[in-house]
Amino acid sequence: MISIKGLHKQFGQLEVLKGIDLEVEKGKVVVVIGPSGSGKTTMLRCLNVLEIPTKGIITIDEQTLDFSKNVSKKNIASFRRLTGMVFQNYNLFPHKTVLENVMEGPVIVKGEGKQAASKRAQGLLEKVGLGDKLDFYPSQLSGGQQQRVGIARALAMEPQVMLFDEPTSALDPELVGEVLKVMKDLAKEGMTMIVVTHEMRFARDAADEVIFMDGGVVVERNKPEEMFESPKEERTKRFLNMIL
Ligand code: ADP
């Protein structure tokens, strides 16, 4: 489903991604862990082409972008639709209702009719447990509810892959569970997911594979139980000792 080859990203002189290679099969959940500044967010943003990689080849669902060549805006736009991104700070439109937030992408970007988009949005909001909050504004919701709107909004674009960038790290601890539950349900339905998170329980329960990144490279990848019980690399051991 996803193949990343030799992905590099530089911000000015700072080389943040130093050659990432990664393959993710359809329906798998990959959790990405690693110290702050290791390039986890940048990798997700490159997959969604919110950042333009310096070089590298990314294939998602048979569409390929080779960033060592010029990539057209049109190709980027169609590639971006393959992935849905969920952000740490929800990024909802504050002046739009919950329902309008979820309808916005399909109507504006995909040109879907308002009635059809509204019906689908309602279905998605019911799925994330917010069927009774359609006319609320984001500021009237808890952080956990806002993030569930964020997930519904990403799903509304019918992506092939869902990318989660620390989706629970801005939440009060008692609100984390409701968001993780929605994510686990999605995983069970067979959604392909890449999740950057510090929630090691989620990694243990829901991940098919855990990837440890440090210094802009993938240091180690393994099944969660092996990653947590018997990490191979020194750098992984040191990191896990600090957080577990
Ligand atoms: P992580 O998600 O692992 O914490 P990030 O991908 O957010 O790491 O950041 C990796 C490095 O890239 C950090 O040093 C960060 O300051 C830098 N960085 C991220 N985005 C930008 C940007 N737009 N401009 C300059 N530097 C950036």
Side-chain angles (χ1 to χ4, degrees):
M1 173 59 82
I2 306 173
S3 154
I4 305 172
K5 290 200 183 107
L7 181 66
H8 285 75
K9 177 64 186 177
Q10 216 163 317
F11 292 110
Q13 295 291 75
L14 181 69
E15 196 180 24
V16 173
L17 299 181
K18 299 176 182 165
I20 303 275
D21 295 298
L22 188 64
E23 310 235 315
V24 180
E25 283 171 44
K26 193 175 169 73
K28 298 288 183 195
V29 177
V30 171
V31 163
V32 182
I33 61 172
S36 176
S38 58
K40 305 179 299 294
T41 293
T42 304
M43 182 181 73
L44 283 194
R45 291 175 63 84
C46 284
L47 284 171
N48 196 233
V49 212
L50 289 171
E51 301 290 351
I52 307 284
T54 316
K55 60 181 178 183
I57 301 174
I58 305 179
T59 302
I60 299 176
D61 194 31
E62 291 169 16
Q63 279 194 50
T64 296
L65 293 184
D66 181 350
F67 292 98
S68 51
K69 300 178 186 146
N70 262 339
V71 178
S72 72
K73 284 212 169 103
K74 186 164 157 257
N75 284 349
I76 288 175
S78 88
F79 197 84
R80 182 168 293 146
R81 284 205 208 167
L82 297 168
T83 53
M85 184 97 161
V86 176
F87 300 90
Q88 183 175 351
N89 294 315
Y90 334 126
N91 282 11
L92 300 178
F93 301 114
H95 55 289
K96 288 189 187 290
T97 65
V98 163
L99 184 67
E100 288 164 350
N101 262 281
V102 179
M103 287 171 61
E104 178 83 4
V107 171
I108 303 294
V109 181
K110 281 188 159 177
E112 191 172 334
K114 278 202 171 162
Q115 220 175 349
S118 165
K119 205 166 154 216
R120 235 162 35 77
Q122 287 182 45
L124 287 167
L125 284 161
E126 266 158 36
K127 185 182 157 106
V128 299
L130 294 173
D132 57 343
K133 298 280 189 282
L134 304 181
D135 297 325
F136 283 56
Y137 285 87
S139 61
Q140 298 172 301
L141 301 181
S142 72
Q145 291 170 331
Q146 289 186 58
Q147 189 57 296
R148 285 186 280 145
V149 177
I151 294 173
R153 188 184 53 175
L155 289 172
M157 294 299 283
E158 302 182 302
Q160 300 296 315
V161 176
M162 286 284 283
L163 307 172
F164 294 86
D165 187 11
E166 300 194 18
T168 59
S169 55
L171 297 177
D172 290 333
E174 73 273 21
L175 303 178
V176 169
E178 65 192 60
V179 172
L180 293 182
K181 172 163 188 318
V182 168
M183 292 168 62
K184 281 183 193 165
D185 289 347
L186 260 185
K188 275 194 208 126
E189 285 171 22
M191 177 59 82
T192 310
M193 296 169 40
I194 302 185
V195 184
V196 173
T197 185
H198 301 296
E199 293 293 332
M200 295 303 142
R201 235 188 43 219
F202 176 82
R204 279 179 196 271
D205 294 350
D208 294 292
E209 218 175 11
V210 178
I211 283 178
F212 173 64
M213 276 180 71
D214 194 12
V217 296
V218 173
V219 173
E220 184 165 350
R221 60 183 294 185
N222 221 327
K223 295 205 176 334
E225 54 275 25
E226 275 147 42
M227 183 68 97
F228 295 126
E229 308 313 333
S230 51
K232 290 189 195 66
E233 302 291 333
E234 267 316 306
R235 277 199 276 180
T236 320
K237 286 180 199 165
R238 249 183 283 139
F239 177 72
L240 290 173
N241 274 338
M242 279 190 296
I243 59 158
L244 291 179

Tab-separated table of all heavy atoms in Angstrom, residues 183-237:
chain	number	residue	atom	x	y	z
A	183	MET	N	-9.762	5.096	17.082
A	183	MET	CA	-8.642	4.655	16.241
A	183	MET	C	-8.549	3.129	16.192
A	183	MET	O	-8.276	2.543	15.140
A	183	MET	CB	-7.334	5.258	16.759
A	183	MET	CG	-7.280	6.779	16.573
A	183	MET	SD	-5.929	7.529	17.489
A	183	MET	CE	-4.521	6.748	16.706
A	184	LYS	N	-8.782	2.490	17.326
A	184	LYS	CA	-8.732	1.019	17.354
A	184	LYS	C	-9.849	0.431	16.497
A	184	LYS	O	-9.643	-0.568	15.798
A	184	LYS	CB	-8.868	0.508	18.792
A	184	LYS	CG	-7.569	0.612	19.567
A	184	LYS	CD	-7.730	0.039	20.967
A	184	LYS	CE	-6.554	0.430	21.818
A	184	LYS	NZ	-6.775	0.221	23.253
A	185	ASP	N	-11.032	1.041	16.560
A	185	ASP	CA	-12.144	0.556	15.730
A	185	ASP	C	-11.797	0.657	14.250
A	185	ASP	O	-12.073	-0.256	13.474
A	185	ASP	CB	-13.425	1.367	16.012
A	185	ASP	CG	-14.012	1.044	17.387
A	185	ASP	OD1	-13.582	0.032	17.994
A	185	ASP	OD2	-14.883	1.804	17.857
A	186	LEU	N	-11.172	1.778	13.885
A	186	LEU	CA	-10.763	1.965	12.485
A	186	LEU	C	-9.770	0.887	12.063
A	186	LEU	O	-9.848	0.334	10.967
A	186	LEU	CB	-10.047	3.306	12.341
A	186	LEU	CG	-10.789	4.497	11.795
A	186	LEU	CD1	-9.809	5.651	11.649
A	186	LEU	CD2	-11.448	4.183	10.473
A	187	ALA	N	-8.827	0.617	12.955
A	187	ALA	CA	-7.810	-0.401	12.670
A	187	ALA	C	-8.484	-1.753	12.458
A	187	ALA	O	-8.152	-2.486	11.522
A	187	ALA	CB	-6.803	-0.473	13.817
A	188	LYS	N	-9.469	-2.061	13.304
A	188	LYS	CA	-10.181	-3.349	13.186
A	188	LYS	C	-10.929	-3.454	11.869
A	188	LYS	O	-11.089	-4.545	11.324
A	188	LYS	CB	-11.183	-3.501	14.334
A	188	LYS	CG	-10.551	-4.055	15.585
A	188	LYS	CD	-11.614	-4.506	16.586
A	188	LYS	CE	-11.064	-4.401	17.998
A	188	LYS	NZ	-11.905	-3.607	18.884
A	189	GLU	N	-11.393	-2.313	11.370
A	189	GLU	CA	-12.115	-2.323	10.089
A	189	GLU	C	-11.170	-2.504	8.908
A	189	GLU	O	-11.612	-2.580	7.771
A	189	GLU	CB	-12.859	-0.996	9.892
A	189	GLU	CG	-14.091	-0.867	10.742
A	189	GLU	CD	-14.651	0.549	10.677
A	189	GLU	OE1	-14.364	1.279	9.706
A	189	GLU	OE2	-15.355	0.914	11.624
A	190	GLY	N	-9.857	-2.481	9.182
A	190	GLY	CA	-8.903	-2.745	8.102
A	190	GLY	C	-8.289	-1.511	7.474
A	190	GLY	O	-7.669	-1.589	6.413
A	191	MET	N	-8.451	-0.358	8.139
A	191	MET	CA	-7.829	0.862	7.617
A	191	MET	C	-6.304	0.753	7.749
A	191	MET	O	-5.800	0.297	8.771
A	191	MET	CB	-8.346	2.067	8.412
A	191	MET	CG	-7.748	3.402	8.035
A	191	MET	SD	-7.998	3.893	6.316
A	191	MET	CE	-9.647	4.563	6.351
A	192	THR	N	-5.596	1.167	6.729
A	192	THR	CA	-4.132	1.258	6.801
A	192	THR	C	-3.800	2.551	7.549
A	192	THR	O	-4.310	3.614	7.203
A	192	THR	CB	-3.535	1.313	5.383
A	192	THR	OG1	-4.092	0.256	4.597
A	192	THR	CG2	-2.022	1.200	5.420
A	193	MET	N	-2.963	2.430	8.583
A	193	MET	CA	-2.725	3.596	9.439
A	193	MET	C	-1.248	3.736	9.805
A	193	MET	O	-0.589	2.755	10.104
A	193	MET	CB	-3.528	3.458	10.761
A	193	MET	CG	-5.022	3.451	10.511
A	193	MET	SD	-6.131	2.984	11.873
A	193	MET	CE	-5.474	3.705	13.324
A	194	ILE	N	-0.769	4.977	9.793
A	194	ILE	CA	0.538	5.280	10.380
A	194	ILE	C	0.286	6.269	11.507
A	194	ILE	O	-0.326	7.320	11.296
A	194	ILE	CB	1.523	5.880	9.351
A	194	ILE	CG1	1.703	4.914	8.177
A	194	ILE	CG2	2.864	6.184	10.008
A	194	ILE	CD1	2.752	5.358	7.172
A	195	VAL	N	0.731	5.903	12.701
A	195	VAL	CA	0.381	6.662	13.889
A	195	VAL	C	1.644	7.057	14.640
A	195	VAL	O	2.377	6.196	15.125
A	195	VAL	CB	-0.514	5.811	14.830
A	195	VAL	CG1	-0.953	6.628	16.030
A	195	VAL	CG2	-1.721	5.239	14.093
A	196	VAL	N	1.901	8.358	14.722
A	196	VAL	CA	2.977	8.846	15.594
A	196	VAL	C	2.347	9.083	16.957
A	196	VAL	O	1.384	9.854	17.073
A	196	VAL	CB	3.574	10.160	15.047
A	196	VAL	CG1	4.568	10.742	16.055
A	196	VAL	CG2	4.251	9.940	13.702
A	197	THR	N	2.845	8.395	17.962
A	197	THR	CA	2.221	8.535	19.285
A	197	THR	C	3.185	8.158	20.406
A	197	THR	O	4.154	7.425	20.195
A	197	THR	CB	0.942	7.665	19.396
A	197	THR	OG1	0.300	7.918	20.642
A	197	THR	CG2	1.240	6.178	19.298
A	198	HIS	N	2.878	8.696	21.594
A	198	HIS	CA	3.608	8.285	22.794
A	198	HIS	C	2.787	7.275	23.595
A	198	HIS	O	3.183	6.892	24.695
A	198	HIS	CB	3.909	9.504	23.664
A	198	HIS	CG	4.722	10.540	22.950
A	198	HIS	ND1	6.009	10.293	22.531
A	198	HIS	CD2	4.436	11.787	22.551
A	198	HIS	CE1	6.476	11.364	21.911
A	198	HIS	NE2	5.531	12.285	21.901
A	199	GLU	N	1.626	6.901	23.065
A	199	GLU	CA	0.746	5.967	23.783
A	199	GLU	C	1.212	4.531	23.540
A	199	GLU	O	0.822	3.882	22.578
A	199	GLU	CB	-0.700	6.120	23.295
A	199	GLU	CG	-1.346	7.430	23.645
A	199	GLU	CD	-1.560	7.592	25.140
A	199	GLU	OE1	-1.715	6.568	25.853
A	199	GLU	OE2	-1.554	8.743	25.597
A	200	MET	N	2.058	4.050	24.443
A	200	MET	CA	2.644	2.733	24.223
A	200	MET	C	1.601	1.625	24.357
A	200	MET	O	1.741	0.562	23.762
A	200	MET	CB	3.804	2.497	25.190
A	200	MET	CG	4.967	3.448	24.952
A	200	MET	SD	5.595	3.335	23.257
A	200	MET	CE	5.963	5.043	22.927
A	201	ARG	N	0.547	1.903	25.135
A	201	ARG	CA	-0.495	0.879	25.235
A	201	ARG	C	-1.208	0.702	23.903
A	201	ARG	O	-1.529	-0.411	23.507
A	201	ARG	CB	-1.482	1.225	26.345
A	201	ARG	CG	-1.578	0.075	27.315
A	201	ARG	CD	-2.668	0.216	28.361
A	201	ARG	NE	-3.916	0.699	27.827
A	201	ARG	CZ	-4.707	1.576	28.462
A	201	ARG	NH1	-4.327	2.057	29.636
A	201	ARG	NH2	-5.845	1.950	27.957
A	202	PHE	N	-1.438	1.818	23.233
A	202	PHE	CA	-2.045	1.734	21.897
A	202	PHE	C	-1.124	0.938	20.967
A	202	PHE	O	-1.580	0.079	20.204
A	202	PHE	CB	-2.303	3.137	21.327
A	202	PHE	CG	-2.836	3.109	19.918
A	202	PHE	CD1	-4.175	2.888	19.677
A	202	PHE	CD2	-1.981	3.278	18.835
A	202	PHE	CE1	-4.674	2.838	18.367
A	202	PHE	CE2	-2.465	3.228	17.530
A	202	PHE	CZ	-3.817	3.007	17.300
A	203	ALA	N	0.170	1.223	21.055
A	203	ALA	CA	1.135	0.510	20.211
A	203	ALA	C	1.064	-0.999	20.482
A	203	ALA	O	1.011	-1.810	19.557
A	203	ALA	CB	2.544	1.034	20.459
A	204	ARG	N	1.024	-1.353	21.761
A	204	ARG	CA	0.957	-2.781	22.108
A	204	ARG	C	-0.341	-3.423	21.635
A	204	ARG	O	-0.357	-4.539	21.141
A	204	ARG	CB	1.029	-2.959	23.631
A	204	ARG	CG	2.428	-2.897	24.187
A	204	ARG	CD	2.349	-3.064	25.708
A	204	ARG	NE	3.564	-2.648	26.353
A	204	ARG	CZ	4.597	-3.460	26.584
A	204	ARG	NH1	4.529	-4.728	26.230
A	204	ARG	NH2	5.680	-3.001	27.174
A	205	ASP	N	-1.453	-2.696	21.823
A	205	ASP	CA	-2.769	-3.280	21.529
A	205	ASP	C	-3.092	-3.288	20.043
A	205	ASP	O	-3.738	-4.210	19.562
A	205	ASP	CB	-3.888	-2.480	22.224
A	205	ASP	CG	-3.799	-2.578	23.733
A	205	ASP	OD1	-3.000	-3.406	24.218
A	205	ASP	OD2	-4.514	-1.828	24.419
A	206	ALA	N	-2.703	-2.244	19.336
A	206	ALA	CA	-3.262	-2.054	17.989
A	206	ALA	C	-2.237	-2.129	16.863
A	206	ALA	O	-2.625	-2.302	15.705
A	206	ALA	CB	-3.988	-0.709	17.916
A	207	ALA	N	-0.941	-2.006	17.183
A	207	ALA	CA	0.031	-1.927	16.078
A	207	ALA	C	0.400	-3.308	15.559
A	207	ALA	O	0.540	-4.262	16.329
A	207	ALA	CB	1.292	-1.208	16.544
A	208	ASP	N	0.542	-3.419	14.251
A	208	ASP	CA	1.134	-4.614	13.670
A	208	ASP	C	2.650	-4.510	13.752
A	208	ASP	O	3.348	-5.504	13.860
A	208	ASP	CB	0.706	-4.734	12.201
A	208	ASP	CG	-0.784	-4.971	12.091
A	208	ASP	OD1	-1.222	-6.057	12.495
A	208	ASP	OD2	-1.507	-4.059	11.656
A	209	GLU	N	3.115	-3.265	13.694
A	209	GLU	CA	4.548	-3.050	13.706
A	209	GLU	C	4.860	-1.717	14.377
A	209	GLU	O	4.073	-0.779	14.268
A	209	GLU	CB	5.046	-3.005	12.264
A	209	GLU	CG	6.361	-3.672	12.124
A	209	GLU	CD	6.811	-3.737	10.669
A	209	GLU	OE1	6.213	-3.096	9.804
A	209	GLU	OE2	7.795	-4.418	10.449
A	210	VAL	N	5.993	-1.656	15.067
A	210	VAL	CA	6.426	-0.405	15.670
A	210	VAL	C	7.758	-0.014	15.023
A	210	VAL	O	8.627	-0.866	14.799
A	210	VAL	CB	6.612	-0.535	17.198
A	210	VAL	CG1	7.110	0.768	17.801
A	210	VAL	CG2	5.302	-0.950	17.858
A	211	ILE	N	7.844	1.268	14.716
A	211	ILE	CA	9.070	1.779	14.105
A	211	ILE	C	9.711	2.763	15.051
A	211	ILE	O	9.015	3.660	15.577
A	211	ILE	CB	8.697	2.445	12.766
A	211	ILE	CG1	8.461	1.327	11.775
A	211	ILE	CG2	9.775	3.408	12.303
A	211	ILE	CD1	8.062	1.770	10.453
A	212	PHE	N	10.983	2.600	15.308
A	212	PHE	CA	11.705	3.556	16.146
A	212	PHE	C	12.571	4.423	15.254
A	212	PHE	O	13.439	3.933	14.528
A	212	PHE	CB	12.569	2.825	17.182
A	212	PHE	CG	13.460	3.755	17.956
A	212	PHE	CD1	12.927	4.736	18.785
A	212	PHE	CD2	14.842	3.669	17.845
A	212	PHE	CE1	13.741	5.618	19.489
A	212	PHE	CE2	15.671	4.544	18.554
A	212	PHE	CZ	15.119	5.513	19.372
A	213	MET	N	12.297	5.733	15.295
A	213	MET	CA	13.093	6.686	14.510
A	213	MET	C	13.996	7.477	15.430
A	213	MET	O	13.612	7.823	16.550
A	213	MET	CB	12.176	7.683	13.774
A	213	MET	CG	11.641	7.171	12.464
A	213	MET	SD	10.567	8.387	11.658
A	213	MET	CE	11.742	9.633	11.157
A	214	ASP	N	15.187	7.781	14.955
A	214	ASP	CA	16.089	8.675	15.690
A	214	ASP	C	17.003	9.347	14.672
A	214	ASP	O	17.483	8.680	13.739
A	214	ASP	CB	16.898	7.873	16.723
A	214	ASP	CG	17.588	8.789	17.726
A	214	ASP	OD1	17.269	9.995	17.771
A	214	ASP	OD2	18.453	8.296	18.479
A	215	GLY	N	17.193	10.633	14.828
A	215	GLY	CA	18.118	11.360	13.956
A	215	GLY	C	17.785	11.259	12.478
A	215	GLY	O	18.672	11.248	11.632
A	216	GLY	N	16.498	11.178	12.152
A	216	GLY	CA	16.102	11.228	10.748
A	216	GLY	C	16.212	9.921	9.998
A	216	GLY	O	16.112	9.906	8.770
A	217	VAL	N	16.427	8.822	10.734
A	217	VAL	CA	16.427	7.503	10.081
A	217	VAL	C	15.570	6.526	10.894
A	217	VAL	O	15.290	6.764	12.070
A	217	VAL	CB	17.860	6.893	9.938
A	217	VAL	CG1	18.727	7.752	9.034
A	217	VAL	CG2	18.510	6.715	11.309
A	218	VAL	N	15.169	5.451	10.232
A	218	VAL	CA	14.493	4.361	10.949
A	218	VAL	C	15.586	3.492	11.556
A	218	VAL	O	16.389	2.893	10.843
A	218	VAL	CB	13.608	3.525	9.998
A	218	VAL	CG1	13.057	2.299	10.716
A	218	VAL	CG2	12.467	4.383	9.445
A	219	VAL	N	15.632	3.465	12.886
A	219	VAL	CA	16.690	2.717	13.566
A	219	VAL	C	16.297	1.242	13.685
A	219	VAL	O	17.127	0.348	13.539
A	219	VAL	CB	16.945	3.311	14.968
A	219	VAL	CG1	17.926	2.454	15.764
A	219	VAL	CG2	17.466	4.736	14.842
A	220	GLU	N	15.022	1.012	13.962
A	220	GLU	CA	14.584	-0.367	14.211
A	220	GLU	C	13.102	-0.492	13.931
A	220	GLU	O	12.331	0.430	14.190
A	220	GLU	CB	14.875	-0.707	15.685
A	220	GLU	CG	14.565	-2.123	16.070
A	220	GLU	CD	15.202	-2.516	17.419
A	220	GLU	OE1	16.023	-1.767	17.962
A	220	GLU	OE2	14.839	-3.598	17.905
A	221	ARG	N	12.723	-1.614	13.388
A	221	ARG	CA	11.283	-1.888	13.232
A	221	ARG	C	11.023	-3.319	13.638
A	221	ARG	O	11.818	-4.211	13.365
A	221	ARG	CB	10.818	-1.613	11.806
A	221	ARG	CG	11.498	-2.443	10.757
A	221	ARG	CD	11.042	-2.058	9.365
A	221	ARG	NE	9.628	-2.374	9.159
A	221	ARG	CZ	9.020	-2.213	7.977
A	221	ARG	NH1	9.675	-1.738	6.943
A	221	ARG	NH2	7.758	-2.526	7.836
A	222	ASN	N	9.894	-3.507	14.320
A	222	ASN	CA	9.599	-4.848	14.815
A	222	ASN	C	8.156	-4.956	15.262
A	222	ASN	O	7.461	-3.946	15.361
A	222	ASN	CB	10.524	-5.194	15.999
A	222	ASN	CG	11.006	-6.634	15.912
A	222	ASN	OD1	10.286	-7.510	15.442
A	222	ASN	ND2	12.223	-6.863	16.362
A	223	LYS	N	7.718	-6.170	15.546
A	223	LYS	CA	6.401	-6.343	16.143
A	223	LYS	C	6.433	-5.698	17.525
A	223	LYS	O	7.490	-5.686	18.178
A	223	LYS	CB	6.098	-7.831	16.281
A	223	LYS	CG	5.973	-8.557	14.960
A	223	LYS	CD	5.114	-9.788	15.143
A	223	LYS	CE	4.845	-10.533	13.870
A	223	LYS	NZ	4.893	-9.785	12.633
A	224	PRO	N	5.270	-5.185	18.004
A	224	PRO	CA	5.303	-4.437	19.260
A	224	PRO	C	5.899	-5.217	20.430
A	224	PRO	O	6.752	-4.695	21.158
A	224	PRO	CB	3.833	-4.088	19.515
A	224	PRO	CG	3.044	-4.566	18.372
A	224	PRO	CD	3.951	-5.149	17.357
A	225	GLU	N	5.487	-6.489	20.575
A	225	GLU	CA	5.995	-7.220	21.746
A	225	GLU	C	7.518	-7.340	21.698
A	225	GLU	O	8.205	-7.187	22.716
A	225	GLU	CB	5.302	-8.585	21.924
A	225	GLU	CG	5.318	-9.525	20.743
A	225	GLU	CD	4.176	-9.287	19.738
A	225	GLU	OE1	3.633	-8.164	19.647
A	225	GLU	OE2	3.857	-10.232	19.026
A	226	GLU	N	8.065	-7.581	20.503
A	226	GLU	CA	9.524	-7.705	20.407
A	226	GLU	C	10.218	-6.363	20.603
A	226	GLU	O	11.252	-6.278	21.267
A	226	GLU	CB	9.910	-8.321	19.060
A	226	GLU	CG	9.855	-9.832	19.121
A	226	GLU	CD	9.437	-10.473	17.817
A	226	GLU	OE1	9.904	-10.019	16.757
A	226	GLU	OE2	8.628	-11.420	17.855
A	227	MET	N	9.605	-5.313	20.039
A	227	MET	CA	10.192	-3.973	20.208
A	227	MET	C	10.275	-3.610	21.689
A	227	MET	O	11.280	-3.077	22.152
A	227	MET	CB	9.339	-2.948	19.449
A	227	MET	CG	9.869	-1.549	19.489
A	227	MET	SD	11.405	-1.352	18.569
A	227	MET	CE	10.833	-0.731	17.007
A	228	PHE	N	9.209	-3.911	22.441
A	228	PHE	CA	9.178	-3.487	23.841
A	228	PHE	C	9.905	-4.461	24.778
A	228	PHE	O	10.491	-4.054	25.770
A	228	PHE	CB	7.730	-3.271	24.305
A	228	PHE	CG	7.061	-2.144	23.572
A	228	PHE	CD1	5.850	-2.334	22.916
A	228	PHE	CD2	7.647	-0.875	23.522
A	228	PHE	CE1	5.227	-1.287	22.227
A	228	PHE	CE2	7.042	0.173	22.833
A	228	PHE	CZ	5.833	-0.037	22.184
A	229	GLU	N	9.855	-5.768	24.469
A	229	GLU	CA	10.480	-6.743	25.381
A	229	GLU	C	11.961	-6.926	25.064
A	229	GLU	O	12.773	-7.090	25.971
A	229	GLU	CB	9.809	-8.132	25.297
A	229	GLU	CG	8.295	-8.197	25.443
A	229	GLU	CD	7.736	-7.392	26.598
A	229	GLU	OE1	8.461	-7.190	27.588
A	229	GLU	OE2	6.577	-6.956	26.486
A	230	SER	N	12.316	-6.938	23.788
A	230	SER	CA	13.716	-7.224	23.460
A	230	SER	C	14.204	-6.397	22.266
A	230	SER	O	14.468	-6.940	21.190
A	230	SER	CB	13.884	-8.722	23.156
A	230	SER	OG	12.925	-9.133	22.208
A	231	PRO	N	14.292	-5.070	22.491
A	231	PRO	CA	14.798	-4.215	21.410
A	231	PRO	C	16.251	-4.588	21.076
A	231	PRO	O	17.004	-4.991	21.961
A	231	PRO	CB	14.716	-2.806	22.003
A	231	PRO	CG	14.678	-2.993	23.481
A	231	PRO	CD	14.028	-4.313	23.727
A	232	LYS	N	16.600	-4.462	19.792
A	232	LYS	CA	17.933	-4.905	19.367
A	232	LYS	C	18.965	-3.798	19.471
A	232	LYS	O	20.105	-4.025	19.856
A	232	LYS	CB	17.854	-5.365	17.907
A	232	LYS	CG	17.085	-6.649	17.734
A	232	LYS	CD	17.248	-7.157	16.298
A	232	LYS	CE	16.216	-8.215	15.969
A	232	LYS	NZ	14.831	-7.691	15.940
A	233	GLU	N	18.560	-2.601	19.084
A	233	GLU	CA	19.548	-1.525	18.961
A	233	GLU	C	19.711	-0.776	20.285
A	233	GLU	O	18.741	-0.559	21.007
A	233	GLU	CB	19.103	-0.539	17.873
A	233	GLU	CG	18.894	-1.155	16.506
A	233	GLU	CD	20.201	-1.603	15.855
A	233	GLU	OE1	21.252	-1.006	16.179
A	233	GLU	OE2	20.153	-2.545	15.054
A	234	GLU	N	20.945	-0.351	20.533
A	234	GLU	CA	21.241	0.406	21.752
A	234	GLU	C	20.372	1.647	21.884
A	234	GLU	O	19.843	1.965	22.947
A	234	GLU	CB	22.719	0.838	21.765
A	234	GLU	CG	23.666	-0.116	22.467
A	234	GLU	CD	23.136	-0.645	23.788
A	234	GLU	OE1	22.767	0.176	24.659
A	234	GLU	OE2	23.055	-1.889	23.948
A	235	ARG	N	20.240	2.364	20.759
A	235	ARG	CA	19.485	3.623	20.781
A	235	ARG	C	18.029	3.365	21.149
A	235	ARG	O	17.409	4.147	21.861
A	235	ARG	CB	19.547	4.302	19.405
A	235	ARG	CG	20.809	5.118	19.218
A	235	ARG	CD	20.625	6.117	18.104
A	235	ARG	NE	20.886	5.515	16.792
A	235	ARG	CZ	20.786	6.185	15.639
A	235	ARG	NH1	20.418	7.450	15.630
A	235	ARG	NH2	21.057	5.592	14.495
A	236	THR	N	17.483	2.262	20.653
A	236	THR	CA	16.093	1.916	20.981
A	236	THR	C	15.991	1.602	22.470
A	236	THR	O	15.074	2.065	23.158
A	236	THR	CB	15.631	0.685	20.172
A	236	THR	OG1	16.128	0.776	18.853
A	236	THR	CG2	14.123	0.593	20.154
A	237	LYS	N	16.937	0.821	22.972
A	237	LYS	CA	16.923	0.448	24.395
A	237	LYS	C	16.948	1.688	25.273
A	237	LYS	O	16.178	1.807	26.224
A	237	LYS	CB	18.143	-0.426	24.735
A	237	LYS	CG	18.032	-1.832	24.216
A	237	LYS	CD	19.274	-2.641	24.577
A	237	LYS	CE	19.343	-3.866	23.674
A	237	LYS	NZ	20.652	-4.518	23.703
